Amino acid sequence: MALRTLITRKSPISTHLGFRGLQTFSLPDLPYDYGALEPAISGEIMQLHHQKHHQAYITNYNKALEQLDSAISKGDASTVVKLQSAIKFNGGGHVNHSIFWKNLAPVPEGGGEPPKASLGSAIDNHFGSLEALIQKMNAEGAALQGSGWVWLAVDKELKRLVVETTANQDPLVTKGPSLVPVIGIDVWEHAYYLQYKNVRPDYLKNIWKVINWKYAGEVYDKECP
């Protein structure tokens, strides 16, 4: 029996904190079974990645927000400053993983189908071909030292596609306020190690078989109408 989450989506907002109405966040459900991305990504990895790792970022993010709310109400400036790194790391982990799940789709539901229409044309124009883009992202993802993410992004100001990497759980916006994620690939070891061991290039090669280009195209069309 395939491992799965409930299909019903949860609201990302669960409760409000403090007199400023600070919000806490909850784990979003996946729209597919944990095992639905096999053999590209195992069900065991997906379950651990979603239920343990993503949940941990949310738990720690909410905790940091509660501490921030308390520090602000007390006028504790040093604690407010100290909490910024935890908010960036854990909040970024939540933001990045929420994008990542949408970037994936089972093969029967269109995963791996090449991009079409405006996104497909933009990829050809900016990178020469889809194959060239994949090669570039795989190379940059494999070369990224330590943990982080490799992104296909649209620069809203320049109206063009770019490839970027971010370290740790830094969200893409830290590389520039005009950058919007189109495809984000997690290259932390927890995203692949149980299946691919230390061979990150094999993971990067196979993940394209379940990339949700339909969703990516919708993001691109929204940002570059």
Side-chain angles (χ1 to χ4, degrees):
M1 181 180 294
L3 297 170
R4 67 180 301 155
T5 58
L6 297 174
I7 296 301
T8 304
R9 294 179 180 271
K10 298 176 183 175
S11 168
I13 308 303
S14 57
T15 58
H16 294 267
L17 295 171
F19 62 88
R20 280 167 299 280
L22 289 176
Q23 298 168 336
T24 60
F25 299 85
S26 58
L27 185 68
D29 289 326
L30 302 185
Y32 42 78
D33 295 349
Y34 285 133
L37 304 180
E38 294 182 346
I41 307 176
S42 73
E44 183 181 16
I45 286 177
M46 288 298 295
Q47 184 177 26
L48 288 171
H49 199 170
H50 179 251
Q51 291 186 355
K52 302 299 183 182
H53 292 280
H54 190 174
Q55 180 62 67
Y57 294 123
I58 291 172
T59 298
N60 291 327
Y61 186 36
N62 288 336
K63 180 180 178 181
L65 290 177
E66 292 177 3
Q67 293 173 337
L68 177 67
D69 186 49
S70 175
I72 291 174
S73 67
K74 296 175 182 177
D76 185 351
S78 63
T79 298
V80 169
V81 172
K82 184 172 67 174
L83 286 168
Q84 298 311 303
S85 61
I87 290 171
K88 178 183 178 183
F89 179 78
N90 292 294
H94 175 47
V95 169
N96 292 346
H97 283 86
S98 296
I99 295 168
F100 184 58
W101 309 134
K102 295 176 182 178
N103 284 162
L104 305 173
V107 172
E109 298 175 19
E113 291 184 4
K116 302 174 182 177
S118 56
L119 177 57
S121 297
I123 289 172
D124 289 342
N125 290 337
H126 296 149
F127 301 102
S129 66
L130 176 60
E131 291 72 21
L133 168 64
I134 291 174
Q135 184 177 10
K136 179 177 177 62
M137 289 187 67
N138 285 357
E140 296 204 15
L144 186 64
Q145 295 183 350
S147 300
W149 293 73
V150 58
W151 304 92
L152 173 65
V154 58
D155 188 318
K156 294 191 295 182
E157 289 185 1
L158 300 179
K159 300 294 184 182
R160 66 169 290 114
L161 293 170
V162 296
V163 172
E164 293 281 354
T165 60
T166 54
N168 300 314
Q169 290 299 347
D170 290 358
L172 183 60
V173 69
T174 60
K175 283 293 187 79
S178 65
L179 297 178
V180 176
V182 176
I183 293 289
I185 298 178
D186 189 346
V187 293
W188 280 65
E189 283 191 345
H190 65 235
Y192 62 86
Y193 196 85
L194 284 176
Q195 183 173 357
Y196 294 97
K197 307 308 179 191
N198 63 331
V199 190
R200 186 189 289 177
D202 284 355
Y203 159 71
L204 290 168
K205 176 182 177 182
N206 286 325
I207 198 172
W208 296 101
K209 298 174 182 177
V210 290
I211 289 294
N212 188 350
W213 284 109
K214 180 179 179 181
Y215 173 77
E218 293 171 353
V219 174
Y220 180 78
D221 289 343
K222 178 181 178 181
E223 302 300 335
C224 294

